[in-house]
Amino acid sequence: MSVVTEKRLKDRSGSKCEISGSDENLVLYIVAPKTEATPENCILITKSLKDQIENPETTFANDWRGLSDSMWNENLPVQIVSWRMHARLKNMDMLEMMYLDEDALEWAKATGEADDDEGKIVHKDSNGNTLLDGDSVVLIKDLDVKGATFTAKRGAAVHNIKLVWDDATLIEGRVEGQHIFILTQYVKKTK
């Protein structure tokens, strides 16, 4: 890593993550497919967010709340990462608000983050919101739980859900201490 590049990135960002604003565990991230560590190709980011960029299956949407600010950053590499993460998180309203010129958009799309995955299983709640592993939901109706002696009540919160990878209509979660499967049509994602 270039010491000069790191210093310029710290000066540019005020020694804070250019996505989250955190000042802890900062690392330099070269925005693919660029390979040269220059300020025009890099951002300063927390190690946790960098790891999530590089390992999409570990992406935790709540860690990316800073995207609504970083997408307006004047530095192109920050805009590119913001665009890619909005695409990964399916924040289509935010993507539609962003403007990238043709070259920048080509750079943003270079990793295939926004490609449509035909046949990909997408879990949606009763309002059509995309559900991700780790989300929290609320039941929208009373549900009889098969094989249990209770009814899952309307309004019950289910935290840290798991998606059933081969069935877009099912999620897993804990209600009243019991691990159950829930139909996505009976849940509403909470913010």
Side-chain angles (χ1 to χ4, degrees):
M1 169 180 6
S2 164
V3 174
V4 174
T5 297
E6 185 176 10
K7 181 178 178 350
R8 286 184 56 199
L9 288 177
K10 285 181 176 179
D11 290 345
R12 174 174 95 186
S13 68
S15 293
K16 293 186 187 268
C17 173
E18 295 183 272
I19 302 295
S20 69
S22 173
D23 59 0
E24 296 182 12
N25 298 319
L26 298 175
V27 295
L28 182 124
Y29 173 68
I30 301 172
V31 183
K34 307 291 186 185
T35 56
E36 191 177 350
T38 67
E40 296 77 26
N41 297 340
C42 298
I43 66 171
L44 199 60
I45 192 167
T46 64
K47 182 173 182 339
S48 170
L49 294 183
K50 179 181 184 247
D51 291 345
Q52 290 181 47
I53 290 171
E54 294 171 345
N55 302 295
E57 65 279 355
T58 66
T59 301
F60 184 61
N62 205 35
D63 290 347
W64 294 93
R65 292 181 309 244
L67 288 175
S68 57
D69 292 327
S70 66
M71 66 190 262
W72 305 113
N73 190 293
E74 65 186 17
N75 299 293
L76 188 56
V78 179
Q79 293 174 22
I80 299 301
V81 170
S82 298
W83 188 95
R84 287 178 181 170
M85 292 311 299
H86 277 309
R88 179 183 297 176
L89 296 169
K90 308 290 188 224
N91 294 335
M92 297 311 171
D93 291 343
M94 296 302 219
L95 276 179
E96 289 174 11
M97 283 195 275
M98 287 187 77
Y99 172 77
L100 296 176
D101 67 31
E102 197 173 308
D103 291 338
L105 190 58
E106 186 176 322
W107 181 11
K109 289 182 176 181
T111 58
E113 200 65 63
D115 291 348
D116 286 334
D117 297 333
E118 212 170 298
K120 180 179 179 183
I121 293 179
V122 178
H123 294 73
K124 296 196 180 269
D125 72 0
S126 60
N127 293 329
N129 297 313
T130 301
L131 297 171
L132 301 171
D133 274 335
D135 281 347
S136 293
V137 297
V138 172
L139 301 179
I140 61 169
K141 73 175 268 184
D142 289 350
L143 300 174
D144 290 325
V145 181
K146 292 181 181 172
T149 58
F150 70 97
T151 299
K153 296 292 183 190
R154 177 180 183 217
V158 183
H159 302 289
N160 198 25
I161 65 168
K162 298 289 180 218
L163 306 179
V164 176
W165 69 272
D166 61 347
D167 189 340
T169 65
L170 283 176
I171 59 171
E172 298 177 58
R174 286 199 170 278
V175 176
E176 294 187 22
Q178 294 236 1
H179 180 84
I180 64 171
F181 289 92
I182 307 165
L183 290 171
T184 56
Q185 69 191 36
Y186 299 129
V187 299
K188 180 174 72 171
K189 184 175 182 175
T190 58
K191 300 294 177 205

